[in-house]
Amino acid sequence: MYDISQIQEAHHIFLHLLQHKVVKKGDTALEKYFHDMNIQQLVKRFADTSSTQVLVGNMNVHLVTKPKGSIFATNFTQMRDQMKERKNDGRVETRLELYMIHLVIMVYLSEVDGESVRGSHIDLYGGIRYLELTTRVSEVIEYWNKLLENDPEFSLGVIED
């Protein structure tokens, strides 16, 4: 089914993704991933066995943790489930704080894979400047506030404990 060269290439690509987490689609290390379906399947199998998954965005390929059981990171679901434990040590006080943490993370991830990567304010490996991230989060909140004012059907679904 798979020959040894495909297995080796898939392993090389998976290790590259594991090392960098986010790789531009044009990266030469990913070339065979997009041209050989067997290599693509093998990379996905390697990811599956490590509780990760490969997500292909518009401009980047991401290696992300699966929602449950990953050894690499704690995901949002696990973070939510552990919120009550963390409440006692001062890290997360309320559900609203947890939602705000998620919002900041999601805006950051959007910036990493969005059109703004072409701009000068973000460096794929160095991150985004704090001021730029706070500006982007504020823009999202302002946009949502406008939607709340103008659209009675729109809801953020935040319920405070």
Side-chain angles (χ1 to χ4, degrees):
M1 185 166 167
Y2 303 113
D3 64 40
I4 191 70
S5 66
Q6 290 174 322
I7 295 170
Q8 289 172 334
E9 183 63 31
H11 188 254
H12 172 74
I13 291 169
F14 177 71
L15 290 176
H16 187 72
L17 287 170
L18 189 58
Q19 180 182 8
H20 296 288
K21 313 306 184 266
V22 179
V23 180
K24 290 193 178 290
K25 273 185 166 179
D27 189 320
T28 56
L30 298 180
E31 194 171 302
K32 291 185 181 177
Y33 177 83
F34 292 109
H35 293 24
D36 187 329
M37 293 302 286
N38 286 338
I39 290 176
Q40 205 172 94
Q41 288 176 341
L42 284 165
V43 170
K44 289 180 180 181
R45 283 188 181 183
F46 285 134
D48 192 45
T49 59
S50 68
S51 296
T52 59
Q53 60 188 38
V54 178
L55 297 178
V56 179
N58 290 333
M59 297 180 337
N60 299 309
V61 178
H62 304 260
L63 184 67
V64 297
T65 61
K66 284 192 174 179
K68 294 281 185 189
S70 174
I71 60 171
F72 294 107
T74 301
N75 60 57
F76 296 144
T77 304
Q78 291 166 334
M79 188 174 172
R80 184 197 67 219
D81 293 344
Q82 295 171 4
M83 186 179 85
K84 289 181 182 172
E85 294 171 26
R86 292 181 174 173
K87 197 171 186 177
N88 294 333
D89 65 13
R91 285 188 271 172
V92 177
E93 290 295 325
T94 65
R95 185 179 301 248
L96 185 58
E97 283 184 25
L98 182 68
Y99 289 143
M100 291 304 295
I101 291 167
H102 289 186
L103 173 63
V104 171
I105 291 170
M106 296 312 294
V107 168
Y108 174 77
L109 293 175
S110 172
E111 288 297 302
V112 167
D113 202 28
E115 290 295 315
S116 62
V117 172
R118 296 181 199 147
S120 61
H121 67 275
I122 188 167
D123 169 10
L124 187 58
Y125 297 104
I128 184 172
R129 291 192 312 259
Y130 178 77
L131 181 58
E132 185 64 32
L133 182 60
T134 58
T135 300
R136 298 293 181 179
V137 169
S138 295
E139 288 171 356
V140 169
I141 292 172
E142 287 172 18
Y143 176 73
W144 285 351
N145 280 332
K146 286 179 187 172
L147 285 176
L148 284 168
E149 291 172 4
N150 299 324
D151 184 359
E153 298 294 314
F154 181 77
S155 171
L156 295 178
V158 177
I159 300 169
E160 187 61 39
D161 288 349

